[in-house]
Amino acid sequence: MSSDPRADNGHRTLTAAPLAPWQDPSRPIDVRVADLLGRLSLEEKVAQLYGVWVGADATGEDMAPHQHEMVDEIPDWRELIRAGLGQLTRPFGTAPVDPALGARALARMQAEIVAANRFGIPAIAHEECLSGFMTWGATVYPTPLAWGATFHPELVERMAGQIGAALRQVGVHQGLAPVLDVTRDPRWGRTEETIGEDPYLVGTVGTAYVRGLQAAGVVATLKHFAGYSASRAGRNFGPVAVGPREFADVLLPPFEMAVRDGGAGSVMHSYAEVDGVPAAADERLLTDLLRDRWGFTGTVVADYFGIAFLQSLHHVAGSPVEAARLALTAGVDVELPAVRCFGPGLLASVRDGTVPQSLVDRAATRVLRQKFALGLLDPDWQPRPPALAGAADDPAGLEGTVDLDPPANRAVARQVAEESVVLLANTGGALPLPPDSRIALVGPLADDVTGLLGCYTFPSHVGGQHPGVPAGVEMATVLGALRAELPQARVEHAAGCAVDGTDRSGIADAVAVAADADVCVVVLGDRAGLFGHGTSGEGSDAADLNLPGVQRELLTALVDSGTPVVLVLLSGRPYAIGEWADRLAATVQAFFPGEEGGPAVAGVLGGRVCPSGRLPVSVPRDPGGQPAGYLAPALGRRTEVSNVDPTARYPFGHGLSYTSFDWRDVLVQGTEPVAGRSTEVGTDGTVSVSVSVRNGGDRDGTEVVQLYLHDPVAQVTRPVVRLIGYARVPLAVGESRRVTFRVHADLTSFTGRHGHRVVEPGDLELRLSASSADHRYVVPVQLTGAERTVDHRRRLTPEVTVS
């Protein structure tokens, strides 16, 4: 029996002929791929290497860089799919669409694609999914910087599983997340998309996201590989001038972890040029490192228009065909979002020998392997997705039948939001707010959901182009949520000013409201938007780390009013608040906390939620100091030879609680350490350190135990401390638990003087810490034996147990 993939409008039906090898699911995938590849014409192979973006045009606001220049008129659909199609770009994330009707439209497109090409090969449908499935009506989870603030990979994995399930049920196969760029300069607009400034935190949380998404049957896409976040002055697309050691030890490890330990199925190249070489044309990066050394076997997809940018922006190619040759040679397999370089010109160049056909065969093999792995070429595959199973093909009857924001998703979104809120300061116990307080709730984001939503959420990313369309999900502002949280309180509101702009006319009214209150809660921060249409987001970079607009003037006036002020920041980056820090009654930081962010913040303010978030990025003291994160060697910190002090006001890993925790009874290798004596461990050995943590306060809470490595003397300069392990420890009142880290010597490795990663013998310190600056216990360790060279097979994480 065999199937005719083009029969019955794309539904495969069995015939009497025997199965060809490529059609037989019992055969190994590589056998099936080789058989099908050998049957495809050159035109059919090339057709697998690009996508089409239906609905995108050059007339509205851009949803991708230079979209207005790069999007041509949509070619004839029938002609476009005649030889097949590699990908469908954002069928749900381009315009508002009811989920069920969107699934129906996607199924019809897939049926047409299958029917049009000789072998019935469907397209892979991809979507953005950074803060949830980026479509109308889907759950809006907190932004990745908030994931980092939870220090809770297991929760992020659960969240990603829900996102993947939502994508899969409507027929989407690939998600363009997570972002594994490590924050290097928070002026960068895409800081909100990063998980934080530490590669270990980014790697562990990002890998958890990969596991969750792919467990739901959706291919995760690691981006942006690599170096994108290290652009000069934090400018989007700016040149990157990092050394090979910083590149290897800071920017690459999260990707390495997600490839090796997460099994990521796809990687998206970065827009960046690193030392003059754009990532899309970097064979050493995309082939030598990613595939040959790390063993990656998935697909490399282009960031939107990234191949064309080799010609138009980087000027390393003189034509679209030359850009295609560079990208294919480097190891890019799929051009997204639409075909510009991998089209007829490439086809002609292969035929005349300008571009080797082996490059096309290599890329097509990888694409087909992924389609086989997804089950798209199995005989029983159908274009109609699970969400429409059994439903009649009636648009009127389908509308409203698919719920992408069910209660279970909202519950996880609420938990992520609550665990991500960071209490930075609480002078004299100003928080929680008394339930019968007279509260002045002021600020541009107090009664506006804008501060809950990152750039890669549907309302921020697409909704602005459709002003008459509702957000698609229910959201409470901080004002509405606080009134619900504290029904006995008198809450008066005044905006004071806008997020940006120069209008100061409302500041006096805000001060008057504050003067008549017991406490003033001011909600400041960002509005996410693309390419300068926001204060945070892709292409919305900041010249400095001052609060946007006249918000700093509003804050100064409120602090001067004499009423105690609680500052709440809803933002996509940290802002310099050192000017006011010592005069504020309390400070709360939330990074775009999503649709449940209003109740989460209100829960912390009112005391229902005991804060447990920790900073994934340092909060600067001054707007111009530009700290590059805590991962700096000694001369990157405050010194006597410079008058600029980069010391953060609140360091990485910092966060307070409404309860107190006692740390005691440190054990090393299971026994009490001897003061002044180092524990000797071989350079291929393991050391165990543990600490008992007790909740000594009067309410349940969660401590986050962090383990940092300090290397006093090394063959190259090293960060003063760097994170190598952490554990969230929930504790009831009076409860104690022991946190144990089993640290292999591999975790001390770094790129040495000769460019190889080494484990170097010598003295080290393991610091059990509450933040990167608050070290509770120091455990001296001496690594003994010969220096070891290690590679991608080294251990990347310690064993962590909480008992």
Side-chain angles (χ1 to χ4, degrees), residues 768-793:
L768 293 158
S769 309
S771 79
S772 59
D774 182 3
H775 307 296
R776 302 294 175 84
Y777 291 97
V778 174
V779 177
V781 174
Q782 185 180 51
L783 292 185
T784 61
E787 178 177 296
R788 293 174 55 236
T789 299
V790 296
D791 57 19
H792 64 280
R793 293 167 293 186

PDB file of all heavy atoms in Angstrom, residues 768-793:
ATOM      1  N   LEU A 768      28.681  30.642  48.849  1.00  0.00           N
ATOM      2  CA  LEU A 768      27.250  30.463  49.046  1.00  0.00           C
ATOM      3  C   LEU A 768      26.664  31.843  49.326  1.00  0.00           C
ATOM      4  O   LEU A 768      27.022  32.493  50.307  1.00  0.00           O
ATOM      5  CB  LEU A 768      26.982  29.509  50.201  1.00  0.00           C
ATOM      6  CG  LEU A 768      27.412  28.059  49.950  1.00  0.00           C
ATOM      7  CD1 LEU A 768      27.616  27.311  51.249  1.00  0.00           C
ATOM      8  CD2 LEU A 768      26.376  27.352  49.070  1.00  0.00           C
ATOM      9  N   SER A 769      25.746  32.278  48.460  1.00  0.00           N
ATOM     10  CA  SER A 769      25.421  33.707  48.425  1.00  0.00           C
ATOM     11  C   SER A 769      23.930  33.949  48.249  1.00  0.00           C
ATOM     12  O   SER A 769      23.197  33.119  47.692  1.00  0.00           O
ATOM     13  CB  SER A 769      26.167  34.383  47.269  1.00  0.00           C
ATOM     14  OG  SER A 769      27.547  34.068  47.308  1.00  0.00           O
ATOM     15  N   ALA A 770      23.528  35.148  48.705  1.00  0.00           N
ATOM     16  CA  ALA A 770      22.169  35.621  48.477  1.00  0.00           C
ATOM     17  C   ALA A 770      22.091  36.529  47.257  1.00  0.00           C
ATOM     18  O   ALA A 770      20.999  36.843  46.787  1.00  0.00           O
ATOM     19  CB  ALA A 770      21.649  36.352  49.702  1.00  0.00           C
ATOM     20  N   SER A 771      23.217  36.968  46.746  1.00  0.00           N
ATOM     21  CA  SER A 771      23.303  37.729  45.502  1.00  0.00           C
ATOM     22  C   SER A 771      24.751  37.724  45.068  1.00  0.00           C
ATOM     23  O   SER A 771      25.624  37.181  45.768  1.00  0.00           O
ATOM     24  CB  SER A 771      22.804  39.172  45.691  1.00  0.00           C
ATOM     25  OG  SER A 771      23.791  39.971  46.316  1.00  0.00           O
ATOM     26  N   SER A 772      25.035  38.359  43.940  1.00  0.00           N
ATOM     27  CA  SER A 772      26.414  38.412  43.461  1.00  0.00           C
ATOM     28  C   SER A 772      27.296  39.292  44.342  1.00  0.00           C
ATOM     29  O   SER A 772      28.520  39.292  44.188  1.00  0.00           O
ATOM     30  CB  SER A 772      26.446  38.927  42.023  1.00  0.00           C
ATOM     31  OG  SER A 772      25.872  40.219  41.936  1.00  0.00           O
ATOM     32  N   ALA A 773      26.674  40.032  45.288  1.00  0.00           N
ATOM     33  CA  ALA A 773      27.444  40.880  46.195  1.00  0.00           C
ATOM     34  C   ALA A 773      27.244  40.529  47.662  1.00  0.00           C
ATOM     35  O   ALA A 773      27.892  41.110  48.523  1.00  0.00           O
ATOM     36  CB  ALA A 773      27.066  42.344  45.971  1.00  0.00           C
ATOM     37  N   ASP A 774      26.370  39.586  47.953  1.00  0.00           N
ATOM     38  CA  ASP A 774      26.051  39.213  49.339  1.00  0.00           C
ATOM     39  C   ASP A 774      26.435  37.757  49.546  1.00  0.00           C
ATOM     40  O   ASP A 774      25.642  36.849  49.331  1.00  0.00           O
ATOM     41  CB  ASP A 774      24.562  39.432  49.607  1.00  0.00           C
ATOM     42  CG  ASP A 774      24.167  39.112  51.046  1.00  0.00           C
ATOM     43  OD1 ASP A 774      25.064  38.772  51.850  1.00  0.00           O
ATOM     44  OD2 ASP A 774      22.963  39.203  51.360  1.00  0.00           O
ATOM     45  N   HIS A 775      27.687  37.544  49.962  1.00  0.00           N
ATOM     46  CA  HIS A 775      28.227  36.195  50.099  1.00  0.00           C
ATOM     47  C   HIS A 775      28.149  35.776  51.571  1.00  0.00           C
ATOM     48  O   HIS A 775      28.816  36.360  52.429  1.00  0.00           O
ATOM     49  CB  HIS A 775      29.669  36.151  49.587  1.00  0.00           C
ATOM     50  CG  HIS A 775      29.818  36.700  48.197  1.00  0.00           C
ATOM     51  ND1 HIS A 775      29.229  36.106  47.110  1.00  0.00           N
ATOM     52  CD2 HIS A 775      30.454  37.808  47.729  1.00  0.00           C
ATOM     53  CE1 HIS A 775      29.506  36.813  46.028  1.00  0.00           C
ATOM     54  NE2 HIS A 775      30.243  37.848  46.371  1.00  0.00           N
ATOM     55  N   ARG A 776      27.348  34.750  51.835  1.00  0.00           N
ATOM     56  CA  ARG A 776      27.113  34.346  53.224  1.00  0.00           C
ATOM     57  C   ARG A 776      28.227  33.445  53.760  1.00  0.00           C
ATOM     58  O   ARG A 776      28.618  33.548  54.915  1.00  0.00           O
ATOM     59  CB  ARG A 776      25.763  33.630  53.313  1.00  0.00           C
ATOM     60  CG  ARG A 776      24.584  34.476  52.837  1.00  0.00           C
ATOM     61  CD  ARG A 776      24.344  35.671  53.734  1.00  0.00           C
ATOM     62  NE  ARG A 776      23.304  36.568  53.248  1.00  0.00           N
ATOM     63  CZ  ARG A 776      22.004  36.394  53.452  1.00  0.00           C
ATOM     64  NH1 ARG A 776      21.574  35.338  54.153  1.00  0.00           N
ATOM     65  NH2 ARG A 776      21.135  37.256  52.988  1.00  0.00           N
ATOM     66  N   TYR A 777      28.713  32.525  52.926  1.00  0.00           N
ATOM     67  CA  TYR A 777      29.782  31.621  53.350  1.00  0.00           C
ATOM     68  C   TYR A 777      30.768  31.440  52.204  1.00  0.00           C
ATOM     69  O   TYR A 777      30.367  31.332  51.031  1.00  0.00           O
ATOM     70  CB  TYR A 777      29.234  30.248  53.757  1.00  0.00           C
ATOM     71  CG  TYR A 777      28.421  30.261  55.026  1.00  0.00           C
ATOM     72  CD1 TYR A 777      27.034  30.334  54.986  1.00  0.00           C
ATOM     73  CD2 TYR A 777      29.055  30.198  56.266  1.00  0.00           C
ATOM     74  CE1 TYR A 777      26.284  30.351  56.154  1.00  0.00           C
ATOM     75  CE2 TYR A 777      28.316  30.213  57.439  1.00  0.00           C
ATOM     76  CZ  TYR A 777      26.930  30.296  57.372  1.00  0.00           C
ATOM     77  OH  TYR A 777      26.201  30.318  58.536  1.00  0.00           O
ATOM     78  N   VAL A 778      32.045  31.395  52.528  1.00  0.00           N
ATOM     79  CA  VAL A 778      33.096  31.179  51.549  1.00  0.00           C
ATOM     80  C   VAL A 778      33.772  29.851  51.847  1.00  0.00           C
ATOM     81  O   VAL A 778      34.236  29.610  52.973  1.00  0.00           O
ATOM     82  CB  VAL A 778      34.139  32.316  51.586  1.00  0.00           C
ATOM     83  CG1 VAL A 778      35.306  32.000  50.662  1.00  0.00           C
ATOM     84  CG2 VAL A 778      33.484  33.635  51.189  1.00  0.00           C
ATOM     85  N   VAL A 779      33.800  28.984  50.846  1.00  0.00           N
ATOM     86  CA  VAL A 779      34.411  27.661  50.983  1.00  0.00           C
ATOM     87  C   VAL A 779      35.682  27.631  50.136  1.00  0.00           C
ATOM     88  O   VAL A 779      35.602  27.630  48.894  1.00  0.00           O
ATOM     89  CB  VAL A 779      33.442  26.547  50.539  1.00  0.00           C
ATOM     90  CG1 VAL A 779      34.128  25.181  50.610  1.00  0.00           C
ATOM     91  CG2 VAL A 779      32.174  26.567  51.384  1.00  0.00           C
ATOM     92  N   PRO A 780      36.877  27.612  50.756  1.00  0.00           N
ATOM     93  CA  PRO A 780      38.117  27.545  49.971  1.00  0.00           C
ATOM     94  C   PRO A 780      38.337  26.138  49.420  1.00  0.00           C
ATOM     95  O   PRO A 780      38.144  25.139  50.117  1.00  0.00           O
ATOM     96  CB  PRO A 780      39.200  27.936  50.977  1.00  0.00           C
ATOM     97  CG  PRO A 780      38.620  27.622  52.318  1.00  0.00           C
ATOM     98  CD  PRO A 780      37.139  27.765  52.200  1.00  0.00           C
ATOM     99  N   VAL A 781      38.731  26.087  48.162  1.00  0.00           N
ATOM    100  CA  VAL A 781      38.982  24.811  47.473  1.00  0.00           C
ATOM    101  C   VAL A 781      40.308  24.938  46.740  1.00  0.00           C
ATOM    102  O   VAL A 781      40.625  25.991  46.183  1.00  0.00           O
ATOM    103  CB  VAL A 781      37.852  24.485  46.472  1.00  0.00           C
ATOM    104  CG1 VAL A 781      38.202  23.235  45.666  1.00  0.00           C
ATOM    105  CG2 VAL A 781      36.528  24.304  47.188  1.00  0.00           C
ATOM    106  N   GLN A 782      41.071  23.852  46.745  1.00  0.00           N
ATOM    107  CA  GLN A 782      42.304  23.818  45.968  1.00  0.00           C
ATOM    108  C   GLN A 782      42.204  22.700  44.943  1.00  0.00           C
ATOM    109  O   GLN A 782      42.023  21.521  45.299  1.00  0.00           O
ATOM    110  CB  GLN A 782      43.519  23.594  46.857  1.00  0.00           C
ATOM    111  CG  GLN A 782      44.838  23.666  46.085  1.00  0.00           C
ATOM    112  CD  GLN A 782      46.040  23.447  46.986  1.00  0.00           C
ATOM    113  OE1 GLN A 782      46.083  22.483  47.726  1.00  0.00           O
ATOM    114  NE2 GLN A 782      47.009  24.356  46.911  1.00  0.00           N
ATOM    115  N   LEU A 783      42.279  23.079  43.665  1.00  0.00           N
ATOM    116  CA  LEU A 783      42.307  22.079  42.607  1.00  0.00           C
ATOM    117  C   LEU A 783      43.740  21.593  42.430  1.00  0.00           C
ATOM    118  O   LEU A 783      44.668  22.400  42.288  1.00  0.00           O
ATOM    119  CB  LEU A 783      41.798  22.660  41.287  1.00  0.00           C
ATOM    120  CG  LEU A 783      40.309  23.025  41.204  1.00  0.00           C
ATOM    121  CD1 LEU A 783      39.950  23.474  39.787  1.00  0.00           C
ATOM    122  CD2 LEU A 783      39.419  21.867  41.620  1.00  0.00           C
ATOM    123  N   THR A 784      43.912  20.284  42.450  1.00  0.00           N
ATOM    124  CA  THR A 784      45.243  19.697  42.362  1.00  0.00           C
ATOM    125  C   THR A 784      45.351  18.828  41.118  1.00  0.00           C
ATOM    126  O   THR A 784      44.346  18.351  40.586  1.00  0.00           O
ATOM    127  CB  THR A 784      45.544  18.848  43.604  1.00  0.00           C
ATOM    128  OG1 THR A 784      44.581  17.787  43.695  1.00  0.00           O
ATOM    129  CG2 THR A 784      45.473  19.693  44.868  1.00  0.00           C
ATOM    130  N   GLY A 785      46.567  18.615  40.680  1.00  0.00           N
ATOM    131  CA  GLY A 785      46.802  17.780  39.509  1.00  0.00           C
ATOM    132  C   GLY A 785      47.147  18.624  38.308  1.00  0.00           C
ATOM    133  O   GLY A 785      47.370  19.836  38.389  1.00  0.00           O
ATOM    134  N   ALA A 786      47.162  17.970  37.162  1.00  0.00           N
ATOM    135  CA  ALA A 786      47.576  18.625  35.923  1.00  0.00           C
ATOM    136  C   ALA A 786      46.438  19.474  35.350  1.00  0.00           C
ATOM    137  O   ALA A 786      45.258  19.200  35.579  1.00  0.00           O
ATOM    138  CB  ALA A 786      47.996  17.580  34.897  1.00  0.00           C
ATOM    139  N   GLU A 787      46.816  20.501  34.608  1.00  0.00           N
ATOM    140  CA  GLU A 787      45.817  21.282  33.868  1.00  0.00           C
ATOM    141  C   GLU A 787      45.134  20.384  32.845  1.00  0.00           C
ATOM    142  O   GLU A 787      45.789  19.588  32.169  1.00  0.00           O
ATOM    143  CB  GLU A 787      46.503  22.454  33.165  1.00  0.00           C
ATOM    144  CG  GLU A 787      45.572  23.312  32.326  1.00  0.00           C
ATOM    145  CD  GLU A 787      46.286  24.492  31.702  1.00  0.00           C
ATOM    146  OE1 GLU A 787      46.772  25.354  32.459  1.00  0.00           O
ATOM    147  OE2 GLU A 787      46.374  24.526  30.443  1.00  0.00           O
ATOM    148  N   ARG A 788      43.819  20.496  32.750  1.00  0.00           N
ATOM    149  CA  ARG A 788      43.044  19.697  31.801  1.00  0.00           C
ATOM    150  C   ARG A 788      42.458  20.591  30.721  1.00  0.00           C
ATOM    151  O   ARG A 788      41.983  21.689  31.002  1.00  0.00           O
ATOM    152  CB  ARG A 788      41.882  18.972  32.503  1.00  0.00           C
ATOM    153  CG  ARG A 788      42.282  17.889  33.478  1.00  0.00           C
ATOM    154  CD  ARG A 788      41.051  17.358  34.205  1.00  0.00           C
ATOM    155  NE  ARG A 788      40.015  16.903  33.300  1.00  0.00           N
ATOM    156  CZ  ARG A 788      38.753  17.366  33.315  1.00  0.00           C
ATOM    157  NH1 ARG A 788      38.386  18.307  34.162  1.00  0.00           N
ATOM    158  NH2 ARG A 788      37.863  16.885  32.465  1.00  0.00           N
ATOM    159  N   THR A 789      42.475  20.098  29.504  1.00  0.00           N
ATOM    160  CA  THR A 789      41.749  20.746  28.414  1.00  0.00           C
ATOM    161  C   THR A 789      40.407  20.048  28.266  1.00  0.00           C
ATOM    162  O   THR A 789      40.343  18.820  28.211  1.00  0.00           O
ATOM    163  CB  THR A 789      42.536  20.661  27.098  1.00  0.00           C
ATOM    164  OG1 THR A 789      43.788  21.333  27.259  1.00  0.00           O
ATOM    165  CG2 THR A 789      41.758  21.304  25.964  1.00  0.00           C
ATOM    166  N   VAL A 790      39.320  20.827  28.236  1.00  0.00           N
ATOM    167  CA  VAL A 790      37.979  20.255  28.132  1.00  0.00           C
ATOM    168  C   VAL A 790      37.299  20.835  26.903  1.00  0.00           C
ATOM    169  O   VAL A 790      37.724  21.839  26.337  1.00  0.00           O
ATOM    170  CB  VAL A 790      37.147  20.530  29.402  1.00  0.00           C
ATOM    171  CG1 VAL A 790      37.762  19.834  30.608  1.00  0.00           C
ATOM    172  CG2 VAL A 790      37.021  22.024  29.669  1.00  0.00           C
ATOM    173  N   ASP A 791      36.198  20.195  26.493  1.00  0.00           N
ATOM    174  CA  ASP A 791      35.481  20.643  25.303  1.00  0.00           C
ATOM    175  C   ASP A 791      33.986  20.649  25.593  1.00  0.00           C
ATOM    176  O   ASP A 791      33.560  20.714  26.747  1.00  0.00           O
ATOM    177  CB  ASP A 791      35.834  19.770  24.088  1.00  0.00           C
ATOM    178  CG  ASP A 791      35.552  18.284  24.330  1.00  0.00           C
ATOM    179  OD1 ASP A 791      34.775  17.957  25.259  1.00  0.00           O
ATOM    180  OD2 ASP A 791      36.110  17.458  23.599  1.00  0.00           O
ATOM    181  N   HIS A 792      33.166  20.511  24.528  1.00  0.00           N
ATOM    182  CA  HIS A 792      31.714  20.588  24.679  1.00  0.00           C
ATOM    183  C   HIS A 792      31.148  19.418  25.473  1.00  0.00           C
ATOM    184  O   HIS A 792      29.975  19.459  25.870  1.00  0.00           O
ATOM    185  CB  HIS A 792      31.048  20.638  23.297  1.00  0.00           C
ATOM    186  CG  HIS A 792      31.264  19.396  22.494  1.00  0.00           C
ATOM    187  ND1 HIS A 792      32.438  19.149  21.804  1.00  0.00           N
ATOM    188  CD2 HIS A 792      30.471  18.319  22.282  1.00  0.00           C
ATOM    189  CE1 HIS A 792      32.337  17.976  21.199  1.00  0.00           C
ATOM    190  NE2 HIS A 792      31.162  17.456  21.458  1.00  0.00           N
ATOM    191  N   ARG A 793      31.933  18.390  25.715  1.00  0.00           N
ATOM    192  CA  ARG A 793      31.437  17.244  26.490  1.00  0.00           C
ATOM    193  C   ARG A 793      31.593  17.447  27.998  1.00  0.00           C
ATOM    194  O   ARG A 793      31.216  16.582  28.787  1.00  0.00           O
ATOM    195  CB  ARG A 793      32.181  15.983  26.059  1.00  0.00           C
ATOM    196  CG  ARG A 793      31.865  15.565  24.625  1.00  0.00           C
ATOM    197  CD  ARG A 793      32.833  14.523  24.119  1.00  0.00           C
ATOM    198  NE  ARG A 793      34.192  15.080  23.986  1.00  0.00           N
ATOM    199  CZ  ARG A 793      35.208  14.420  23.458  1.00  0.00           C
ATOM    200  NH1 ARG A 793      35.024  13.191  22.992  1.00  0.00           N
ATOM    201  NH2 ARG A 793      36.405  14.987  23.363  1.00  0.00           N
TER     202      ARG A 793
END
